[in-house]
Amino acid sequence: MSDLPSIPLVRRAFAHAERTAVVAREGSFTYERLLDASERAASTLLAGEDDLAGRRVAFLIRPSFAHVATQWATWRAGGIAVPLCTAHPRPELEHAIADSGAEILVGDAELIDRLEPIAAERALRLLPADELLAAPAAGPLPAVDADRGALIIYTSGTTSRPKGVLTSHAHIAAQIESLVTAWEWSSEDSILLVLPLHHVHGVINVVCCALWSGATCEMAPAFDADASWNRIAGGGLTLFMAVPTIYSKLIAAWEGRDAEERRALSAACGEVRLMVSGSAALPVKTLDRWREISGHTLLERYGMTEIGMALSNPLHGERRPGHVGRPLPGVEVERLDESGRPAPDDLAAELRVRGPGVFREYWNRPEETAAAFDDGWFLTGDVAVVDDGSYRLLGRSSVDIIKTGGFKVSALEIEETLREHPAIVECAVVGLPDDEWGERVAAAVVLRENRRLALDELRSWCKERLASYKAPSRLLTLDELPRNVLGKVTKPEVVRRF
Ligand code: AMP
């Protein structure tokens, strides 16, 4: 190798050279091959220059060795990686490419045609991923300081156009170290990636943590419930991380198997040492059912693109259903009351987060960056209370905290109750503007087959379980809830459906 890189994640890989880093459709790759491929690809990206000096490389590559190698190549050439969402239509791809000012685009064989018109129109350099990785000899690579920008991830943008969240190599290293410590990652670990790689969950929590630890990351090009079960049954995995909708789909797939297969799948879960859920609230029903099926009490954690992970239930010790646990190592979390003093545990207050993993800026948006911080604390927009030291999320202040008749109510809490209703499969609670009440509590529900539900009936059922002002006064039945590619319900769309 021509350099000993200063990028923490890349530097560590030299210590694990012989171990298997990535197993994907294309084959099995050691750390040495990852270092070699990314070094050569970095030279190709540089095309004779000394340093990309923070220039952006956007890539549309399905989860694969090529994805990771392109990301590392970008870093080693001194660039900033902009992973694009493989499920996005052209306008959204264009937004990320234009907003980040990417100058180089990389696409895999299946997706590159979607980048071609964008590259042509904007006169950008376009490289097929396999060509990039097949590059011949490497030349000298720049020294890349850990404080340099590394990654721009576009946030889901439920309320506005997606914003680019810029993190440095040092931020990424801090986010990884916190999780590696808390969840005791080691080189003996092996994880199955079923999440997309344009989002913090898949990028940091799964791939980066695995590669930091010298562990193996097996990648499915996209999530498939039966394929995931078959892989779990194949043995050898020690970790699994997913969003609640994936666990629901795995539950449904398990229920679709015959008794003997079910027993075998459940038994195979015993080999896994930790299963994690996050990125959206885990319904207690899902947690309970998953425990029956797999024997695992899912470890629920809370985080955000801007901060990495902040709160987590413990690896060892009690995991409380409906709670997201305590601050992770190196992360400070506070909640303030209206006068700026520490809020009492039972007061619903916004989470503020500080620490070495907190992002630097929204790309090219100085005003929004400034508005997101107060005195060095990142304002998450998520509201929580604390029960015996463990945080319980009430939702996002912008969409999940509904102000009705002078009361503030949590959509998440009402949803958790509605899911207990025998006719309801899924639900999303939103506030609808209302002259009389300020906002009205409205529930969109997906019903079990052949079931009906009238508003009056739902309201009287709710009033036996919740304060009457929390009972929905509008009801809408849908075939399915609108969700983004990560499976999160898109609440502004729910509001529009009403
Ligand atoms: P993203 O940046 O796309 O990962 O979205 C972050 C948001 O997801 C947070 O601000 C929360 O609103 C939500 N979120 C993440 N983890 C959880 C969780 N365990 N429970 C409820 N909401 C969560």
Side-chain angles (χ1 to χ4, degrees):
M1 299 288 157
S2 57
D3 63 334
L4 227 201
S6 40
I7 300 163
L9 186 58
V10 178
R11 180 201 286 270
R12 289 178 63 92
F14 286 88
H16 311 290
E18 313 274 283
R19 299 189 70 89
T20 302
V22 174
V23 178
R25 267 193 308 182
E26 318 121 280
S28 183
F29 301 85
T30 61
Y31 282 85
E32 190 166 25
R33 284 192 63 192
L34 176 56
L35 286 166
D36 174 56
S38 59
E39 185 183 28
R40 287 182 290 103
S43 290
T44 305
L45 290 175
L46 283 167
E49 286 186 61
D50 294 339
D51 192 331
L52 287 184
R55 294 221 291 283
R56 275 75 60 211
V57 177
F59 44 96
L60 189 64
I61 304 177
R62 300 229 273 164
S64 57
F65 175 71
H67 186 108
V68 182
T70 302
Q71 184 184 61
W72 282 36
T74 303
W75 290 347
R76 300 182 77 183
I80 296 177
V82 186
L84 300 170
C85 170
T86 57
H88 274 171
R90 178 164 169 178
E92 294 200 66
L93 293 176
E94 257 180 326
H95 170 70
I97 291 166
D99 187 81
S100 66
E103 291 173 28
I104 305 175
L105 306 183
V106 183
D108 66 22
E110 283 155 302
L111 299 171
I112 194 160
D113 59 339
R114 298 177 46 204
L115 294 177
E116 274 159 7
I118 302 175
E121 202 166 289
R122 297 175 178 271
L124 305 174
R125 189 172 159 212
L126 175 64
L127 291 163
D130 41 11
E131 210 168 280
L132 178 65
L133 298 186
L141 298 181
V144 177
D145 189 84
D147 286 330
R148 282 222 220 159
L151 187 65
I152 297 179
I153 287 187
Y154 278 82
T155 56
S156 331
T158 39
T159 43
S160 60
R161 283 298 262 171
K163 297 193 282 280
V165 173
L166 175 71
T167 44
S168 68
H169 293 287
H171 293 134
I172 292 173
Q175 293 179 6
I176 299 169
E177 277 190 292
S178 176
L179 292 182
V180 166
T181 306
W183 299 343
E184 298 178 6
W185 275 89
S186 84
S187 60
E188 298 303 310
D189 279 314
S190 191
I191 190 163
L192 177 66
L193 172 82
V194 292
L195 297 162
L197 285 183
H198 67 280
H199 184 263
V200 63
H201 200 165
V203 175
I204 302 292
N205 298 21
V206 178
V207 178
C208 288
C209 282
L211 298 181
W212 181 274
S213 308
T216 300
C217 184
E218 287 193 34
M219 298 182 171
F223 170 70
D224 176 272
D226 278 310
S228 302
W229 269 123
N230 294 344
R231 180 58 201 88
I232 292 169
L237 298 173
T238 62
L239 292 163
F240 188 77
M241 298 182 191
V243 295
T245 26
I246 288 190
Y247 286 107
S248 301
K249 287 180 183 165
L250 289 172
I251 290 169
W254 184 90
E255 286 169 346
R257 302 281 186 109
D258 66 31
E260 198 181 320
E261 282 181 314
R262 287 181 182 186
R263 264 194 303 279
L265 297 180
S266 296
C269 292
E271 265 193 60
V272 181
R273 70 172 179 89
L274 173 65
M275 292 182 156
V276 177
S277 172
S279 295
L282 175 67
V284 174
K285 256 187 159 171
T286 311
L287 177 136
D288 287 341
R289 186 68 183 129
W290 187 256
R291 185 160 40 202
E292 287 165 6
I293 288 175
S294 71
H296 282 267
T297 301
L298 289 172
L299 181 155
E300 186 172 8
R301 57 60 180 176
Y302 157 84
M304 255 181 123
T305 310
E306 288 88 335
I307 57 175
M309 299 304 111
L311 298 164
S312 169
N313 274 284
L315 178 66
H316 308 290
E318 194 208 354
R319 299 178 192 159
R320 291 184 67 180
H323 292 71
V324 290
R326 297 164 188 262
L328 279 156
V331 182
E332 288 177 272
V333 178
E334 68 168 22
R335 296 155 57 259
L336 301 180
D337 68 13
E338 275 171 10
S339 59
R341 281 187 292 266
D345 281 358
D346 60 355
L347 183 78
E350 183 181 21
L351 294 172
R352 299 155 55 98
V353 175
R354 195 165 69 174
V358 175
F359 80 128
R360 176 171 302 161
E361 63 188 48
Y362 291 116
W363 183 255
N364 271 340
R365 286 178 160 86
E367 278 149 33
E368 275 153 291
T369 305
F373 286 91
D374 175 32
D375 202 16
W377 291 84
F378 174 67
L379 309 172
T380 63
D382 288 308
V383 174
V385 292
V386 185
D387 301 331
D388 298 329
S390 186
Y391 287 73
R392 179 159 58 86
L393 287 172
L394 302 177
R396 295 208 51 76
S397 56
S398 53
V399 285
D400 295 315
I401 304 300
I402 302 168
K403 291 155 203 123
T404 185
F407 295 104
K408 276 190 191 171
V409 307
S410 156
L412 267 52
E413 194 175 302
I414 301 171
E415 287 163 6
E416 196 54 63
T417 302
L418 292 184
R419 280 191 211 101
E420 298 299 317
H421 191 286
I424 295 177
V425 185
E426 299 193 285
C427 60
V429 168
V430 294
L432 298 180
D434 184 86
D435 289 344
E436 190 181 353
W437 296 95
E439 282 184 302
R440 253 171 199 282
V441 178
V445 296
V446 177
L447 297 179
R448 285 189 199 289
E449 242 175 67
N450 304 322
R451 292 296 293 259
R452 288 183 179 200
L453 185 61
L455 179 62
D456 286 354
E457 191 191 331
L458 179 67
R459 281 181 64 77
S460 31
W461 183 89
C462 281
K463 284 179 187 167
E464 287 169 22
R465 294 162 176 85
L466 292 168
S468 60
Y469 57 86
K470 295 181 183 172
S473 61
R474 295 278 308 276
L475 178 66
L476 177 68
T477 303
L478 297 173
D479 291 336
E480 59 181 347
L481 299 177
R483 294 180 186 273
N484 69 13
V485 282
L486 221 79
K488 275 193 220 196
V489 175
T490 40
K491 294 237 165 147
E493 179 56 26
V494 175
V495 171
R496 271 192 287 279
R497 303 276 177 101
F498 273 97

